[in-house]
Amino acid sequence: MSTSLGTLEELPEEYRAAMADAGVAPLWPMMRNVLPHGAPKPVTATGHWSYPALRPLLLRAGELTPVEKAERRVLVLSDPGRGAGAMMATPSIYVGMQLLLPGETAPAHVHTPSAVRIIVEGQGGYTVVDGEKLPMEEGDLVLTPGGEWHDHGHEGTEPVVWLDALDLPLFVYLEGSYAKEGPLQAQRNRPDASQVEYRAAGLAPARRLGGAPRRYPMMRYPWARTEAALREMARWAGDGPVEMDFVNPETGEDVLPTMGFTAMMLRPGEAVRPPISSTSAVFHVVRGRGRSIVNGTPHEWGPKDVFTAPCFAETDHLAGEECFLVRIHDRPFQEKLGYHEERAR
Ligand SMILES: [Fe+2]
């Protein structure tokens, strides 16, 4: 493989002008930009958003901008490699911190990207998806998959904050991102599917001839159940991180086509050195304090913080105390591209 390729400047001026007129360009001067040797060159940089710093800014937005003027009162966590305003935290994942005040509602809408909320603080918030009312309790994972009508409301007395994670960058890249609005949905008078059909792991409603489960059968993953499962695993697991993937209870596949979610438990003092992965990741700290080093950059994190790791990052975690995190990643998308890769360290 040649190490130095021809440059644009080496070509005669009249030839360059003729190419521009014809709407073509030579590949060789640009090829290393799109196909670097050995490993990709991510633009994305690791970021860390401390919740104690973010929270006052979010509450201020609640004072400055009524929800009717914002529709979604969100502070976007922009990838530092692209700068403030970038609508992405990693190449494939957008995250934003959203505030809903008591009595507020977000209008019913549907969009092409898929979204997941992780509830950060507050009680009384809810999301309605396809008529199913999903209570939002701290740490819960609530899905609003692409193409599913949803709206939000708040019946409590304190601010509710959640982290939105969307595969928005992929849809923007595909020029396929759009939304529609409609009237608030009628709510079915019953608890959500996590409390009815899918109460116990390993059990699903009996199959009947001609009957098929919904494409997204369970929209809410209550944190209390996730934490209990992690703790039980930790009792019996050997060394190494205790991790569980959030899956579709009917298929065992990831909860969404593009984004994956993994709950992590780190024991007090535990150090974790995961393999290098082709996936990018957003970490949300549900509880606990610790330190992660991403590509040499240290992040001292605490409860409700968010930090990110670009593709192929060298990441180390050290738990200062018992910690629970949720890792949002793009493995499902990469697997669909036939691409997902891990490298030992
Ligand atoms: Fe939405």
Side-chain angles (χ1 to χ4, degrees):
M1 197 178 276
S2 170
T3 49
S4 60
L5 298 176
T7 67
L8 202 56
E9 291 69 35
E10 287 166 4
L11 298 169
E13 195 131 332
E14 47 77 25
Y15 178 61
R16 283 154 61 185
M19 279 193 296
D21 284 346
V24 296
L27 173 62
W28 57 97
M30 309 179 287
M31 194 167 76
R32 293 281 188 258
N33 298 341
V34 290
L35 280 175
H37 280 164
K41 291 183 177 157
V43 175
T44 309
T46 177
H48 175 211
W49 293 266
S50 129
Y51 191 63
L54 209 57
R55 189 176 187 275
L57 293 174
L58 200 53
L59 292 179
R60 188 94 198 283
E63 294 164 9
L64 295 172
T65 309
V67 76
E68 305 77 51
K69 289 276 181 192
E71 277 188 17
R72 299 163 191 58
R73 201 190 284 109
V74 176
L75 296 182
V76 178
L77 279 50
S78 295
D79 161 34
R82 293 176 170 86
M87 295 291 278
M88 59 221 294
T90 82
S92 60
I93 303 167
Y94 155 104
V95 282
M97 206 60 98
Q98 179 153 184
L99 171 73
L100 201 62
L101 294 172
E104 290 183 343
T105 55
H109 62 279
V110 62
H111 36 71
T112 47
S114 287
V116 167
R117 351 235 148 248
I118 302 175
I119 317 316
V120 176
E121 71 162 286
Q123 290 186 328
Y126 64 89
T127 292
V128 182
V129 186
D130 188 26
E132 188 172 78
K133 185 177 180 180
L134 308 160
M136 299 168 92
E137 288 168 17
E138 211 176 294
D140 286 3
L141 213 75
V142 170
L143 314 186
T144 57
E148 299 274 351
W149 283 93
H150 56 283
D151 57 75
H152 311 293
H154 188 345
E155 299 166 323
T157 54
E158 297 295 321
V160 161
V161 177
W162 65 72
L163 185 74
D164 286 310
L166 281 82
D167 52 9
L168 179 70
L170 300 176
F171 279 81
V172 170
Y173 186 77
L174 294 171
E175 299 185 343
S177 184
Y178 72 98
K180 287 189 282 193
E181 288 200 358
L184 284 183
Q185 309 163 71
Q187 293 169 20
R188 275 178 267 161
N189 185 24
R190 47 154 277 171
D192 68 275
S194 74
Q195 301 174 68
V196 182
E197 289 89 351
Y198 304 102
R199 273 203 81 86
L203 287 177
R207 278 108 211 232
R208 308 283 284 274
L209 185 66
R214 290 193 292 171
R215 183 172 179 211
Y216 299 103
M218 192 165 106
M219 302 286 192
R220 171 179 176 237
Y221 292 73
W223 176 256
R225 232 181 270 180
T226 308
E227 182 175 324
L230 287 168
R231 284 186 185 284
E232 200 55 25
M233 275 258 290
R235 280 182 63 197
W236 304 101
D239 287 350
V242 178
E243 297 192 340
M244 298 192 104
D245 290 333
F246 292 89
V247 297
N248 178 322
E250 290 283 353
T251 64
E253 290 173 1
D254 294 287
V255 292
L256 290 171
T258 59
M259 284 187 292
F261 297 81
T262 301
M264 305 166 58
M265 177 178 171
L266 305 175
R267 303 158 180 110
E270 183 165 12
V272 179
R273 195 173 169 78
I276 291 172
S277 168
S278 59
T279 64
S280 61
V282 175
F283 296 84
H284 172 64
V285 184
V286 176
R287 202 178 315 137
R289 293 185 181 279
R291 173 187 171 90
S292 296
I293 301 172
V294 184
N295 287 336
T297 303
H299 301 303
E300 306 281 347
W301 42 258
K304 306 179 193 303
D305 284 9
V306 177
F307 62 96
T308 56
C311 307
F312 291 97
E314 292 201 13
T315 305
D316 292 273
H317 306 293
L318 177 62
E321 56 192 42
E322 184 182 71
C323 296
F324 293 95
L325 295 92
V326 175
R327 186 172 76 248
I328 309 165
H329 54 81
D330 48 11
R331 177 185 43 69
F333 176 62
Q334 295 198 348
E335 283 178 347
K336 289 185 176 68
L337 296 176
Y339 159 59
H340 179 227
E341 203 183 317
E342 277 188 355
R343 297 179 185 177
R345 293 168 70 180

